[in-house]
Amino acid sequence: CIRDSSWTQGWMDRYANALRWISRGLRSLEGLEGSDAAQQRAQLLAWYGRFCQEEGRHSRAMKYCRQAIEEADAAGNREALAHALRVLDWALMDLGHLEDASNLHRSLALYEELGDLPGQASVLNMLGGFAYWRGEWDRALELYERARDTVARTGNTVMRAFCLNNIGEIALDQGKLQQAEDLFIEASRVWQAVGYRSGVAFAKCNLARTASGRGRFAEALRLFEESLWEAQDIGAQVEALETRARMSECLVRSGEAESALKVVEETIDRARSLGGTAAQSPLLHRVRSAALAQLGDLAAAGQALEESLSAGRARNADYEIALTIRAQAELERREGKEGGDDRWAASQAIFDRLGVVSVPPLLTPSPGIF
């Protein structure tokens, strides 16, 4: 009953309520011995780690996942063990630790033993995320599509929508806006229909990015505001951080440098508070550079790009590295310095490998459609 109540609260994206229900369950198990108590304790610890991660409390999520792994191993609870291993690597990925996904591979093997297709699809989808951040986009697409095909056998439309959304994000980064928008709309319809608010916020942010890429800045900012409200209302810190970062990018592209700078500096502080190297850090420093350049402070803009490049390299995020090198080339050309052509060529080599067909300029505002 406790587990079902916590899941219901989590599905409603009331993460704080879900965590309270799980804490209540853990207290009820204190002092109890035996296999049944150990099995339940492992399950609840895994779910506690899951909802901490959903909130964006990565270090706390890792703490409880490691406890769950120890309990599940001892109790022989393969379901809880697979769950905790998956969430542990999810937290590590969000903190920028992309070197090793061995916990996910172990989780996948367990889900295969259990015959749990939704669990398998979830792990495949997350492995795709690891590949995406490492700049292995062909591999990421292969994994996302395997996840989509696996979950299609279960009729789980919510999980399928995650796969579609992730495939859409690669298309968006490649500059294939129509393909991306179609996938985001399909995912959004599913999440909206079932009341999955986290997914709704996620999809609105991506639809806003698509609108911004087409120069429809007023539409984009409206969608960003809606996404941000949804994320904040449910306590999803990472989704709120992503939305703020993308909103600042939209503002600077539309020429609103002062507004962009205000949003981006607040968001950089929030990103630091989550620990590790946030996925948004390279983007945030790049947007800060663009805003400073538009305001005429080219020296500070150059320093911000160095910070962006450092953050991108810390995560081994090839796409982010390429975007920053391209921005450095734009800045050097504006300053009349040598080296811009070499940087441009280096960034283009990465874009070609990733299948990127277009990259909007960041330092120069784009004409918008208001």
Side-chain angles (χ1 to χ4, degrees):
C1 181
I2 293 291
R3 178 187 167 189
D4 290 344
S5 296
S6 67
W7 169 245
T8 299
Q9 291 295 328
W11 178 258
M12 293 169 62
D13 296 308
R14 301 294 183 185
Y15 301 134
N17 290 344
L19 290 168
R20 280 193 288 271
W21 274 102
I22 297 170
S23 295
R24 179 180 170 186
L26 288 169
R27 285 195 297 271
S28 73
L29 294 171
E30 287 178 1
L32 296 182
E33 303 293 337
S35 176
D36 286 348
Q39 295 266 349
Q40 291 181 46
R41 190 178 295 109
Q43 289 275 17
L44 291 175
L45 285 168
W47 278 106
Y48 198 97
R50 162 71 178 270
F51 289 126
C52 285
Q53 173 62 16
E54 294 272 10
E55 275 194 317
R57 297 158 68 188
H58 308 310
S59 296
R60 191 171 179 83
M62 290 164 60
K63 171 187 172 182
Y64 280 91
C65 284
R66 287 181 172 126
Q67 289 182 25
I69 290 166
E70 184 177 346
E71 292 271 356
D73 259 333
N77 189 329
R78 291 183 296 168
E79 180 185 356
L81 179 58
H83 188 184
L85 288 164
R86 174 167 60 88
V87 177
L88 177 57
D89 266 9
W90 177 10
L92 287 166
M93 178 175 67
D94 276 357
L95 289 171
H97 302 296
L98 304 170
E99 306 83 11
D100 179 25
S102 57
N103 293 313
L104 281 176
H105 289 292
R106 187 182 175 196
S107 177
L108 180 59
L110 287 165
Y111 280 128
E112 288 172 344
E113 290 174 14
L114 292 165
D116 185 335
L117 292 177
Q120 292 172 43
S122 182
V123 174
L124 288 168
N125 196 47
M126 201 164 292
L127 284 167
F130 267 77
Y132 166 81
W133 285 113
R134 288 196 298 253
E136 301 165 5
W137 286 7
D138 288 342
R139 176 62 174 159
L141 282 171
E142 176 191 337
L143 288 161
Y144 290 152
E145 288 165 359
R146 278 182 61 193
R148 179 199 60 197
D149 294 344
T150 300
V151 82
R153 295 156 58 190
T154 72
N156 187 330
T157 57
V158 173
M159 184 65 218
R160 180 174 178 274
F162 272 107
C163 302
L164 295 177
N165 182 83
N166 289 347
I167 293 169
E169 285 188 308
I170 290 181
L172 178 58
D173 288 342
Q174 289 175 325
K176 302 171 184 176
L177 300 185
Q178 189 59 57
Q179 179 186 346
E181 184 175 44
D182 291 344
L183 291 165
F184 296 148
I185 288 172
E186 187 175 350
S188 178
R189 285 173 178 163
V190 171
W191 287 329
Q192 192 82 51
V194 299
Y196 184 47
R197 296 179 64 197
S198 177
V200 171
F202 199 11
K204 283 187 176 180
C205 180
N206 279 332
L207 286 167
R209 289 182 60 196
T210 305
S212 177
R214 286 179 163 150
R216 300 201 302 259
F217 298 124
E219 176 188 346
L221 289 170
R222 174 181 60 79
L223 287 167
F224 280 131
E225 290 286 357
E226 292 176 7
S227 174
L228 184 58
W229 180 87
E230 197 86 52
Q232 289 176 326
D233 193 55
I234 63 180
Q237 295 184 60
V238 174
E239 287 168 12
L241 183 69
E242 172 73 7
T243 300
R244 286 191 182 93
R246 297 298 178 181
M247 184 185 294
S248 70
E249 181 183 38
C250 177
L251 287 167
V252 82
R253 282 181 177 171
S254 67
E256 299 288 335
E258 291 184 357
S259 296
L261 193 58
K262 180 180 179 181
V263 172
V264 81
E265 287 179 342
E266 292 173 354
T267 309
I268 287 172
D269 288 340
R270 291 175 186 268
R272 287 175 179 149
S273 72
L274 294 179
T277 303
Q280 298 80 13
S281 293
L283 167 65
L284 288 166
H285 289 294
R286 199 164 53 245
V287 170
R288 182 169 173 268
S289 170
L292 289 166
Q294 288 179 23
L295 293 171
D297 192 344
L298 300 186
Q303 179 58 41
L305 286 178
E306 289 296 334
E307 293 179 65
S308 173
L309 189 58
S310 177
R313 285 174 173 161
R315 291 185 63 91
N316 294 313
D318 285 357
Y319 179 63
E320 295 295 333
I321 290 169
L323 287 172
T324 300
I325 293 172
R326 176 62 58 91
Q328 287 179 320
E330 289 183 42
L331 185 62
E332 287 175 349
R333 287 178 173 182
R334 178 179 297 188
E335 294 178 302
K337 294 181 179 177
E338 294 183 0
D341 291 345
D342 291 341
R343 292 185 189 274
W344 192 277
S347 66
Q348 190 60 49
I350 297 174
F351 292 142
D352 289 344
R353 177 171 60 79
L354 296 176
V356 175
V357 296
S358 67
V359 180
L362 183 63
L363 299 186
T364 305
S366 304
I369 303 170
F370 288 89

